[in-house]
Amino acid sequence: MLGKLNTWSGISIGAISMGQEIGVTPIQLVTAVSAIANGGYLHKPYIISEVSKGDQLLLSSDAQQPEPRQVLRPETSALFGD
């Protein structure tokens, strides 16, 4: 997460350019890498596949998933494939 511009200190511009003062969660990082691996398409991450009670299916993540959206051109994601 990158802080709002009005909260930056005098050294923030230099620190941020080196990757400091930035934080991401593991799921955010995996999501970004998976967009590169999936040809530039971002799939909304999920952890479970279904919720059931006995034989009754209460929730299926397959039905809940939105269409993936393209966040990178396939040519751009291919640069990181090799």
Side-chain angles (χ1 to χ4, degrees):
M1 174 172 34
L2 189 60
K4 294 188 185 284
L5 184 59
N6 62 356
T7 64
W8 287 16
S9 70
I11 61 168
S12 289
I13 192 76
I16 290 169
S17 68
M18 293 184 286
Q20 299 172 351
E21 296 190 28
I22 299 173
V24 296
T25 66
I27 195 76
Q28 289 172 321
L29 182 58
V30 169
T31 301
V33 172
S34 71
I36 295 169
N38 287 320
Y41 286 91
L42 179 67
H43 295 263
K44 184 176 180 183
Y46 62 96
I47 297 173
I48 60 168
S49 61
E50 66 183 36
V51 176
S52 61
K53 184 176 183 180
D55 292 334
Q56 182 183 11
L57 181 63
L58 302 175
L59 174 69
S60 173
S61 62
D62 293 334
Q64 302 289 326
Q65 293 300 309
E67 288 292 317
R69 61 185 173 105
Q70 190 167 10
V71 295
L72 292 171
R73 291 180 302 186
E75 305 83 42
T76 304
S77 70
L79 295 173
F80 298 96
D82 294 333

